[in-house]
Each structure stands twice: as structure tokens, then as C-alpha cells.
Amino acid sequence: MRTRVFSGMQPTGNLHIGNYLGALKNWVRIQHDYECIFCIVDLHAVTVYQNPAELRAKINETAALYLAAGIDPKDCAIMVQSAVPAHAELAWMLTCVTPIGWLERMTQYKVKSAKQESVGDGLLQYPVLMAAEYPVLMAADILLYQAGIVPVGEDQAQHLELTRDVAQRFNSLYGDTFVVPDTSLPTVGARVMGLDDPTQKMSKSATGMNHAVALLDAPDKIRKTIMRATTDSNPEVDFDTAGPGVLNLLSIYQAFSGEPDDTMKTRFTGMRYGDLKKQVAEMVVAHLEPFQQRYREITADPACLAAILRDGAERVSPIANSTVGTVKRRMGLYT
Ligand code: TYM
């Protein structure tokens, strides 16, 4: 049996080059080596309010972006999380075996719940729900399919550690049930930083005009955003003293081009920042233009996209239902 791969993205905000270089590009690279399931994790998205019509549209957009990036639906299952009820069911059972202290250690939980504190007590429940259901839901997504490899960006590595801990705890309480998954990070591009502030991870929810390059940004917008990227006070590229902004631009170039370190050094050492930015912008545009063309072709046929998502859910449901059945029997629940 081929090792199974599972990964997913939230259908919120605009997918950007961080999502592409950190995850999607890796998915495409390994898709024929493993049995792959790529999910649109809409149940995660609704941990914060989503306009229903917009969420529906974003689910389709995200699926179309997977396809535009080159995911082959004949070989891989592309599916929407809420189409397979077993995700929510397993999340509950795993919630019951997960100590709250494990959740409170999660960086994303700390950041998000700290932000919530200022909102007042109408949302008092929210951090609790986040803690209880967000990383555990992610663990459920992965463990449901007995995935051996999970290709993600660096920000998800801690959630993968939690997933491993939850799997091991369940296995030791109830007997061997889950495959304990490995994390797969790309060598370059695992953590793309904001172009306006290279100390912050590039994020879908950041609001700054020059923060991110979205996968569907027009070429001129891409060029403008990159030309305005924050650098440092050096006059030109020096690999030994470059600040985070310059290192970020270099790694974006390297992740798109696939060039080895020594070629990168020869190409860029001593280059003025304006010229570096032009080269990075042209590299990004050269990759995203054909990508956007494929996206337009895919979205021109919504029936085909809907059929791919239906087929994906049908293919994975038996695996998910079988895992939930085993978990219920192991826990002594009614089956
Ligand atoms: P999400 O939707 O925030 O991000 C989707 C993927 O993009 C990666 N990523 C980045 N990589 C590099 N640089 C960045 N600046 C950057 N920003 C995001 C993320 O690491 C991720 O791989 N909880 C997850 C979704 C999820 C999931 C799962 C992933 C739910 N269940 C099961 C894997 C397996 C999330 O919110 O990702």
C-alpha cells in the first residue's frame, strides 16, 4: 500500500505565494509518489464568522487554485471537509483524549486568544472553542485517513507535533489505531515573510496593501508589491549581512526558480536592491501568469469542478468511515 498524504488549506482570504511555496508546490511535486488527499478545510474557516455566500465562493476558488497549481484529480482526491461528516465526529472523540494544557501551548492559540481578550465577554467562549476544536480538528483531519506524511508550511509544524502526541496518546489508551504522521516541510519557502514587514509571516488575514502577493493578483499589482518590499540599509546584496527583507526576497526567488545556493550567490551578490526586486517580480509573474490562465479555464466550467469535489468526497469517505468505526469500537461507543 502506498503511504497516504493528507494536507489542506482554509478557504478564507486570498491564497498567496506563502501558501503556494510552503505547501501547494510541494503537494504537486509529490502527488504521484503517494496516495494523496487534498482538502479544503471549511470547518476550520467557520471558527470565525464567515459570510455564507462568500465562504461558498471561496471553497470553489480554493479547489480551482489546487487544480491550477497542477494537482491531478485523477490521481489525487480533492475534497471539502464538511462533505465528510467523519471529520467532525473524530474531532469530538479526539477532543476527549486531549489535555487542555497541550492546546494552551500552541503558538497560534496564544496569539489568537490574546487578540480576543480585548473584544469583551460576548466572545468569552471563543478562545475555549479555539483551544478545544481547532488543532484537534486538524489532528482529526489527518488521523482520519491514517496519513503518513503531511506537507505543510513551517507555521503548521507545531500543530503536527500535537497531532502526533494525540495519536500516540490514543494508541496507548485504546491500542494501536492511528498511524503517527511525519511532517514534510519544503527546503526553501517554508516560511515566507510579509513583504511590508519581514518579521511577520505572510498571512491571508493581514490587511496591509503591500503585505502579500496573492496568487490571483494581476501582474502589475505583483510588480508594485514586490518593488515596494521592505529591505535594509545595505546598498546591495551581501549574503552574509542581508537583513530579513532581502533574505525573504532571495528565498522567494529561489523557491520559484529552484536554483541551487551557489548559482543564487553568483547571480545576486553585489546587485542593487532595485534590480533584485525587478528579478524577483519577473520570476513571480512568469510563474503566476500561466497559473492564472489555467485558473480561468477551470472556473469557466463550474460543473466539472463540482464533479471533481463530489468524486473526491466519495473516494475518501470509506476510509474516513472505517477509521471512525474502529475508533468507536475501541472506545466502547455504540456502533
Ligand atoms: P492555512 O490555510 O493557514 O495555510 C495553508 C498552508 O499554507 C502554509 N502557509 C505558509 N507557508 C509558508 N509561508 C507562509 N507565510 C505561509 N502561510 C501559510 C501553511 O503552513 C499550510 O500548509 N490549520 C491549517 C489547515 C489544515 C491542515 C489540516 C493542514 C487543517 N487541517 C490537516 C494540514 C493537514 C491552516 O490553517 O492552514
Side-chain angles (χ1 to χ4, degrees):
M1 207 184 81
R2 282 196 299 176
T3 300
R4 202 168 280 139
V5 163
F6 182 94
S7 199
M9 298 204 184
Q10 296 202 36
T12 49
N14 293 324
L15 259 62
H16 51 64
I17 56 172
N19 301 120
Y20 178 71
L21 298 174
L24 198 43
K25 186 165 178 280
N26 226 0
W27 301 359
V28 175
R29 187 175 60 81
I30 63 175
Q31 64 176 328
H32 299 300
D33 301 333
Y34 302 102
E35 184 191 329
C36 295
I37 303 171
F38 297 120
C39 187
I40 295 119
V41 294
D42 56 347
L43 294 174
H44 286 267
V46 294
T47 52
V48 288
Y49 175 79
Q50 304 292 333
N51 173 292
E54 277 171 26
L55 180 59
R56 277 315 283 255
K58 280 287 168 190
I59 290 170
N60 287 328
E61 180 183 303
T62 307
L65 287 169
Y66 289 4
L67 292 165
I71 299 293
D72 176 1
K74 287 195 215 68
D75 216 9
C76 311
I78 302 179
M79 42 84 57
V80 183
Q81 187 185 27
S82 63
V84 179
H87 286 258
E89 212 176 351
L90 183 61
W92 172 249
M93 298 167 202
L94 297 182
T95 298
C96 297
V97 303
T98 307
I100 192 86
W102 290 6
L103 303 170
E104 285 165 352
R105 280 204 296 274
M106 297 292 110
T107 309
Q108 293 209 359
Y109 165 71
K110 286 190 204 153
V111 171
K112 291 191 185 177
S113 59
K115 279 188 196 149
Q116 291 297 323
E117 270 167 21
S118 60
V119 183
D121 73 7
L123 284 168
L124 208 60
Q125 283 284 340
Y126 179 70
V128 180
L129 285 174
M130 279 286 303
E133 284 168 14
Y134 177 63
V136 182
L137 180 57
M138 177 161 162
D141 298 338
I142 297 163
L143 302 181
L144 194 55
Y145 299 104
Q146 309 290 0
I149 301 174
V150 184
V152 284
E154 197 188 86
D155 62 319
Q156 296 298 322
Q158 198 187 29
H159 290 161
L160 258 299
E161 279 311 309
L162 178 83
T163 302
R164 292 167 58 82
D165 289 344
V166 170
Q168 275 156 351
R169 184 173 168 91
F170 191 96
N171 287 350
S172 72
L173 284 171
Y174 296 108
D176 245 3
T177 306
F178 293 120
V179 169
V180 180
D182 286 327
T183 309
S184 165
L185 298 179
T187 42
V188 186
R191 189 176 185 83
V192 177
M193 307 308 280
L195 293 166
D196 55 347
D197 177 1
T199 63
Q200 300 296 317
K201 181 192 72 162
M202 187 177 282
S203 142
K204 277 182 275 186
S205 52
T207 46
M209 276 285 285
N210 298 314
H211 174 75
V213 171
L215 295 177
L216 295 176
D217 277 350
D220 276 353
K221 167 118 196 299
I222 297 173
R223 290 190 182 96
K224 265 196 204 124
T225 309
I226 294 176
M227 293 310 290
R228 288 180 187 154
T230 302
T231 49
D232 53 44
S233 53
N234 286 353
E236 57 190 35
V237 178
D238 174 347
F239 278 76
D240 297 325
T241 60
V246 171
L247 291 176
N248 191 38
L249 288 169
L250 289 166
S251 71
I252 290 170
Y253 185 96
Q254 188 173 22
F256 274 108
S257 69
E259 276 181 11
D261 290 351
D262 47 354
T263 318
M264 287 290 296
K265 281 210 170 127
T266 319
R267 180 190 294 283
F268 289 113
T269 299
M271 189 181 280
R272 304 194 68 81
Y273 288 160
D275 293 329
L276 163 70
K277 288 176 175 177
K278 269 189 210 139
Q279 292 223 19
V280 175
E282 291 317 314
M283 177 58 64
V284 176
V285 167
H287 275 79
L288 292 191
E289 265 187 331
F291 180 101
Q292 293 175 2
Q293 178 56 31
R294 285 195 297 278
Y295 176 83
R296 282 190 288 272
E297 286 160 21
I298 293 155
T299 47
D301 189 352
C304 174
L305 188 62
I308 287 171
L309 294 177
R310 244 192 335 270
D311 173 63
E314 277 168 19
R315 273 156 65 183
V316 304
S317 286
I319 311 169
N321 294 338
S322 153
T323 304
V324 164
T326 308
V327 169
K328 280 175 138 181
R329 277 191 299 281
R330 296 264 155 92
M331 293 180 87
L333 294 166
Y334 197 78
T335 51

